[in-house]
Structures are given as structure tokens and as C-alpha cells.
Amino acid sequence: MAESAKSSGVLFALLSTVLWGSYPLWYSPLRDIAAVDVLAFRVIGSFAFVLLFITAIKNVSMSDLKQLVTRKATLKVVISSAIVTAVWWLAYIYAVTHSLVLEASLGYFISPIISVFFGFVLFKERPSISQWVAICITFVAIANLIYNYGQTPWIAIIIGTCFSLYAAIRKGQTIKPLPGLGVECLFLLPFALIFLLYQTSNSGLALYAQITGLQWFFLLAIGLISVLPLWWYTIAAQKLEMITLSFFQLIPPTCNFLFAIFLFNETFTNSHLVTFSLIWIASVVYLVSKLELLTQPPQTEGEKT
């Protein structure tokens, strides 16, 4: 692989993951708006920007959207992932607007390990010893937080599960990211519009007249930042090895963690310290296990039997 391609891949991976990691900065000005309202605006904005990007990018077209909608097999997959996306987005929006960014970061840290567990349960995949160790450490970390902090980290569990379940639903599917997101938003769009109409019919336009100009800017921007990093990450995935991308995937939850502690001043107890330390250990073990798998020489037919 040419060095220039790798360099551009690193750049796009960095841009996408840093932008994903900056989400708390974009959602925090929307704390006065209900999470469901923000979700509705995000769905509408994302759909609009997906259409804009599809018309502007060369390797995707409206026919990609049409194929996903007209094929029953892929349509079922995308509708399923759309439902998971809605729950995932709502949980994250709720987390940021209710000072639970620390818990959201925990959810993203544990998601790769949950994916390994899903692979074992749903697809009969055999985790390596290192991956089993990572799974066990993750369960101990969450149990520690529940026992010592006296509260189940539901947001972290929901986000981590949704992130992993989304990957499990899409596993084995050749669905391009942008058209896939477009059809997901297309499925969610009627619900978003009906919800906003219901809100205005019950409370009148005064409900949204209280939104400031700055908040309207961020409501518009969250549609763009839902699509832009996905496009950048797609470019990066075409230029970089999966193990390299795995390290970049640690950037968003790390950014969330730092924002929660140093910008939003969320509570960070000794129980949190123990839990996050265990999760970081589990993440390192998981990445090492992936590196081991990628560096193993291919088996011959005799070795397979």
C-alpha cells in the first residue's frame, strides 16, 4: 500500500474519530431541549445531508438507496439497524443533555468486548483466550460500578449494546455506509415528522419559539456531523488495515471521557477509577488479541483439519 494512501487514510480516520469524539460539544448547548425532540431533528437533518452527500460523491448514487429499499432482504436488515440506531442516538443525546457523558464514554469503551460476546452467542464464533479475558474483565468492571456506586450504568449498557448489535445486524451485508444511513433515516423520518407535528399541535409553535438562534444552529449542525464523519471513516477504511482502525476507534470514547471530567465536571469517584482502569485493561487485551489474529500465518488445508 502506497505511503500517500496510508497518510490520507490516517488523516481521514483522525478527522472522523475526533469529530465523533466532539459530539458532547455539539449536544451540550441543547440541554434545554428534550432528547426526543433533538433526536427528531437529528433524523431529519441527517436524511437531508445524506441526500446532499450522495449527489456530490462519485462512488455512491441514488440507485444505491433504491436497491436497498427494493430488495426485501437488505430492507429488513436496514430497518432493524434503523430501530437500533434510534435507541442508540436517543440514549447518547439523553446522556449528554443530562450530564452522563462519562457513562456514555464507558458504553463506547465496552462495545468492542460486547461485540465479541455477541459473536459467540449469535454466530457461534470462538473467542480467543485473550478475548475471554477481556469479556470477564468488562463484566467485573461493570459489576464493580454497580456494587460500589450503587447505580446500574444503564446508559453505558444501552449504548454499548446498541453499538455492538448494530454491527451484528450488518454483519455479512454489503451495504454502503451512506446509503445505509439514508435508508435508516428514511424509515425513521415519518416518525420524526409525526412527533414534531404532535408536539406543535399540543403545545403550539411556542414550544419551538423558545429555541435560541444558537440552538437552531446546533440542531442543523448535528445532521451534518452525523453524516460527515461516516463518509470520512469510509474513506479511511479503504486505505488502512483493520487493526489500525481499531486503535482510532478508541479516540471517541477517550474524548468523551476527557470532556466529562475536565469540561463538564462530572462526578468521578474511586469506583469510576477502578471501573475505567479495568475497561482500559480489557481494551488493551482486546486489541492485542486482534493483532495476534491478524499476524497469524494462514492455515493450510492439513492444519485446518
Side-chain angles (χ1 to χ4, degrees), residues 2-305:
E3 286 300 318
S4 59
K6 282 188 177 181
S7 298
S8 63
V10 167
L11 175 62
F12 280 110
L14 188 62
L15 287 171
S16 60
T17 51
V18 169
L19 186 51
W20 272 322
S22 72
Y23 273 11
L25 302 178
W26 299 86
Y27 285 110
S28 59
L30 306 175
R31 292 177 185 272
D32 298 333
I33 306 172
V36 181
D37 289 280
V38 177
L39 174 63
F41 283 111
R42 181 175 182 178
V43 168
I44 295 169
S46 297
F47 181 68
F49 280 109
V50 164
L51 294 182
L52 180 64
F53 273 67
I54 286 177
T55 57
I57 299 173
K58 293 181 179 180
N59 62 341
V60 291
S61 64
M62 296 302 291
S63 62
D64 293 315
L65 283 175
K66 185 178 179 181
Q67 287 178 3
L68 291 177
V69 173
T70 54
R71 293 177 181 174
K72 289 184 179 180
T74 54
L75 183 60
K76 289 179 181 178
V77 170
V78 176
I79 288 176
S80 299
S81 63
I83 296 170
V84 173
T85 296
V87 176
W88 172 13
W89 284 4
L90 182 61
Y92 186 81
I93 293 167
Y94 181 89
V96 176
T97 56
H98 288 77
S99 301
L100 294 170
V101 178
L102 188 63
E103 201 169 312
S105 72
L106 177 62
Y108 284 114
F109 273 123
I110 66 176
S111 62
I113 294 97
I114 295 177
S115 294
V116 174
F117 185 72
F118 275 179
F120 171 70
V121 174
L122 300 178
F123 303 107
K124 309 303 179 184
E125 296 174 351
R126 294 183 179 180
S128 65
I129 294 176
S130 298
Q131 289 174 333
W132 273 120
V133 170
I135 291 172
C136 292
I137 293 174
T138 300
F139 277 108
V140 170
I142 294 174
N144 169 75
L145 196 61
I146 294 172
Y147 179 76
N148 291 308
Y149 194 56
Q151 184 177 346
T152 304
W154 289 114
I155 291 294
I157 293 171
I158 291 170
I159 289 176
T161 302
C162 285
F163 194 90
S164 304
L165 187 57
Y166 186 93
I169 291 171
R170 290 292 194 91
K171 184 179 175 66
Q173 301 292 326
T174 55
I175 298 174
K176 294 180 180 179
L178 283 179
L181 178 61
V183 177
E184 287 172 354
C185 291
L186 179 61
F187 172 76
L188 296 173
L189 187 62
F191 298 98
L193 293 173
I194 290 170
F195 172 77
L196 293 178
L197 288 173
Y198 172 79
Q199 289 284 75
T200 53
S201 64
N202 272 9
S203 305
L205 293 176
L207 177 67
Y208 297 116
Q210 298 174 358
I211 299 176
T212 66
L214 181 63
Q215 287 176 325
W216 278 116
F217 167 78
F218 281 103
L219 285 173
L220 177 65
I222 59 176
L224 175 61
I225 65 170
S226 296
V227 180
L228 191 58
L230 185 64
W231 175 41
W232 285 342
Y233 194 79
T234 303
I235 297 173
Q238 295 169 351
K239 300 175 182 292
L240 298 176
E241 299 86 353
M242 288 306 298
I243 188 61
T244 305
L245 286 174
S246 296
F247 283 99
F248 279 102
Q249 288 167 5
L250 293 175
I251 291 177
T254 301
C255 290
N256 279 234
F257 175 83
L258 295 175
F259 287 142
I261 301 300
F262 298 107
L263 184 62
F264 302 126
N265 298 315
E266 293 187 13
T267 302
F268 190 72
T269 64
N270 289 333
S271 296
H272 286 101
L273 178 60
V274 172
T275 290
F276 273 93
S277 297
L278 289 171
I279 291 299
W280 291 326
I281 293 171
S283 299
V284 171
V285 172
Y286 168 76
L287 288 172
V288 169
S289 71
K290 288 193 71 175
L291 185 60
E292 289 174 349
L293 289 173
L294 289 173
T295 54
Q296 283 180 354
Q299 292 179 320
T300 64
E301 289 301 318
E303 290 173 328
K304 291 178 183 179
T305 55

